[in-house]
Amino acid sequence: MIKGKNYTIKLCCISATVIAVITTIVLVTLAFTVFKRHDPDLVLYPTGLAKLQLDDFITQDTITSEMVMSIRNRNHGSFKFENTTSHITYDGELVGWVPILADTIPEQSSMNITAYATLRAKKLRENPKAINDIVSGSLNLTATATMRGKMSIMGIKKKGSVYTECHMTMYISEIPIRGDSWCWTKLEI
């Protein structure tokens, strides 16, 4: 009878150990595959540039232009971010801003955010290098933003930040004015 109890206890311990090992393997595999953190993809479309003219850069103190930010969240969790402001610089000097309103980017999906950039054309005109670029027909700007918020994965919420840096070239001598951009993003949780 004692021999049977020992066998049952051993079998129970072995079964519990096997289940614990399998559970650990599954959770580690999920952590390194499905729940691995991915940086979001960001594409900037300066849609309002076509409405601007070269004269606007010469005669206006400030210029407002619509832009669309397309953000793709590749993570298995949504990201809810707070209001923030993107700062636009030329040659390291602040020349504009873009207010970005709070929103939530659903898990594994894309969304477009429409925002309005305000450029201080007067500040650009005060910079001799910018004047040369305007006359030559293209202007290189950099926009940076930090989007602070919370990442929610399976009901677990963690604070995080998305850092973005976009480099834009505005071809202001072309009619209509157009722009190209490329962006770098980093998600930290």
Side-chain angles (χ1 to χ4, degrees):
M1 184 102 169
I2 293 177
K3 204 176 200 183
K5 282 185 179 181
N6 285 341
Y7 176 77
T8 304
I9 292 172
K10 282 183 183 179
L11 185 62
C12 223
C13 287
I14 289 172
S15 298
T17 302
V18 168
I19 290 172
V21 168
I22 290 172
T23 303
T24 302
I25 290 171
V26 167
L27 290 176
V28 168
T29 302
L30 286 174
F32 285 111
T33 56
V34 174
F35 299 123
K36 181 181 177 187
R37 177 192 56 79
H38 299 283
D39 294 330
D41 294 327
L42 174 69
V43 179
L44 186 63
Y45 299 102
T47 54
L49 289 181
K51 298 174 186 170
L52 298 177
Q53 297 175 0
L54 179 58
D55 289 348
D56 295 332
F57 288 89
I58 298 167
T59 60
Q60 304 289 327
D61 285 345
T62 59
I63 300 169
T64 301
S65 178
E66 181 183 73
M67 59 178 36
V68 175
M69 294 172 282
S70 179
I71 303 172
R72 189 180 91 175
N73 180 5
R74 301 182 299 151
N75 293 298
H76 288 272
S78 62
F79 185 71
K80 182 178 183 177
F81 61 90
E82 304 164 356
N83 289 342
T84 191
T85 300
S86 176
H87 297 94
I88 302 171
T89 58
Y90 173 82
D91 200 29
E93 187 175 351
L94 182 67
V95 295
W97 57 90
V98 182
I100 302 169
L101 299 177
D103 210 337
T104 301
I105 305 170
E107 64 180 84
Q108 292 192 314
S109 65
S110 297
M111 72 179 293
N112 292 333
I113 298 174
T114 300
Y116 294 89
T118 301
L119 283 176
R120 298 187 315 183
K122 184 177 180 181
K123 188 83 169 171
L124 284 168
R125 288 192 307 267
E126 292 170 356
N127 185 328
K129 187 176 175 187
I131 292 293
N132 290 337
D133 285 351
I134 290 170
V135 170
S136 72
S138 67
L139 195 60
N140 295 313
L141 302 169
T142 302
T144 57
T146 300
M147 300 167 85
R148 299 186 197 291
K150 291 184 180 175
M151 177 73 98
S152 179
I153 300 175
M154 290 176 38
I156 300 169
K157 294 182 180 180
K158 293 184 99 177
K159 288 185 178 181
S161 297
V162 175
Y163 303 98
T164 65
E165 182 175 303
C166 293
H167 300 275
M168 300 177 289
T169 300
M170 295 172 44
Y171 301 101
I172 57 179
S173 63
E174 296 183 12
I175 300 174
I177 294 176
R178 67 178 184 86
D180 290 328
S181 68
W182 65 270
C183 299
W184 168 88
T185 60
K186 178 74 176 166
L187 170 65
E188 287 188 4
I189 296 179

